[in-house]
Amino acid sequence: MPASTSTAFGILAGLGAALIWGAWPVLSREAVLTGFTAVDIAVMRFAVAGLILAPIVLRNGFGGLGILKASVLALGAGAPYVLVTLTGLSMAPAGHGGVIIPCAMLSASTLGAWVVLKDAPTVTRLAGLVLIFAGIGVTAWSGLDLRSAIWSLPSLIGDGLFIMGGMLWALYTIASRAWGAAPLQATAAVSVLSMLIVVPVWLMTADDAVWQAPLAALAWQAGFQGVLVAIGALVLYTKAISVFGAARGALFAILGPVFTVLLAMPILKEMPSSLAVLGLVLCTVGMGVAFGLLETTTGLMRKAFKPGTAKRLSDPRTTAA
């Protein structure tokens, strides 16, 4: 495949993954507001993904992880994570979740890797974390009711659940890295174990929301939650990583919070306040700094403007076949 075509596919894949991640808080909050419970959405996500990925577990088991390690991964990225964050989305704006969850995940992953894996962060990454912490604080502060000067308690609790969800996802990140878990195998293990947890819980606690919902709404949520979010985003993100490498490929994750805020405006009619916008900017810039966007951009510029580069690029003999 020509380099230009591969690059284009990589960009589209990265943008697709970021769009799915950004849309998840918005469409999940919409589902909660229209009558679905957190358990309803979790069962649609993991029943679908679990059934699709069950052959991988039946064929390979847990990929050498064992039931205990696989259960830890499921705790971090499976049913507990989804139930915590969905409960948060029933109490706080989707824009808060879209900003706080990935930022809390990155912060907790960095600090956890420092303590557990002895992977000390660079000064640049620590500077990024400072900006992220400031962004999370400003985002939470945007839940303040300026007229009464008191916290909006549901929004504050929701923001706390988003932070908890980010910490759970960080647990998955650190554990999967420490144990060398293959992405698809880990996804299969998380989905199947979560299916075995949430389906019985749902059968015991389900109300009439699912049975009374239109078939089109159920099919849409099952497809989005179980296929696009649980499987599709991983496949697209893996493609972006294969094209651009881990460092530059990870930069697509920065766009997730931006997509969340933009989608929440037309779909949920959630117009961000100036404080919420400031929190988004601080978190996005902080993620960019922590992911090494500054170093990546600087390196590309140095390479582009290196003496003799322009001459080599203009020489037809140096163009790619």
Side-chain angles (χ1 to χ4, degrees), residues 33-276:
L33 294 178
T34 55
F36 290 112
T37 67
V39 179
D40 291 336
I41 299 173
V43 80
M44 284 188 282
R45 173 169 177 163
F46 292 115
V48 174
L51 289 174
I52 293 174
L53 298 175
I56 296 177
V57 175
L58 293 174
R59 183 174 63 250
N60 302 327
F62 293 117
L65 291 172
I67 185 63
L68 182 59
K69 291 181 179 179
S71 298
V72 172
L73 295 182
L75 172 65
Y81 162 79
V82 170
L83 291 173
V84 165
T85 51
L86 285 173
T87 303
L89 287 168
S90 70
M91 307 176 76
H96 286 210
V99 172
I100 293 176
I101 294 171
C103 289
M105 181 275 292
L106 176 60
S107 302
S109 295
T110 301
L111 297 177
W114 190 358
V115 174
V116 177
L117 304 178
K118 309 304 179 184
D119 183 8
T122 63
V123 174
T124 302
R125 174 159 286 200
L126 289 176
L129 293 186
V130 171
L131 290 173
I132 289 173
F133 289 147
I136 292 175
V138 170
T139 301
W141 187 261
S142 69
L144 179 66
D145 185 344
L146 297 178
R147 292 170 297 179
S148 60
I150 60 173
W151 289 106
S152 169
L153 185 59
S155 181
L156 184 60
I157 295 175
D159 289 346
L161 291 172
F162 295 148
I163 293 174
M164 186 184 301
M167 294 177 69
L168 285 172
W169 192 269
L171 171 64
Y172 170 83
T173 302
I174 295 168
S176 61
R177 179 180 173 186
W179 299 328
L184 186 57
Q185 185 68 50
T187 302
V190 167
S191 298
V192 171
L193 287 176
S194 295
M195 176 181 65
L196 296 177
I197 294 171
V198 299
V199 169
V201 172
W202 179 77
L203 290 174
M204 291 186 294
T205 62
D207 54 22
D208 295 333
V210 171
W211 305 116
Q212 295 179 355
L215 182 60
L218 289 176
W220 161 243
Q221 282 295 330
F224 177 74
Q225 300 285 346
V227 179
L228 286 181
V229 177
I231 302 173
L234 174 64
V235 173
L236 292 172
Y237 185 60
T238 303
K239 175 61 179 177
I241 292 294
S242 70
V243 173
F244 298 108
R248 283 186 288 174
L251 298 178
F252 287 104
I254 299 172
L255 297 174
V258 178
F259 282 136
T260 298
V261 173
L262 292 177
L263 291 171
M265 289 190 283
I267 296 176
L268 299 174
K269 310 303 180 186
E270 292 181 359
M271 304 304 295
S273 64
S274 56
L275 279 177

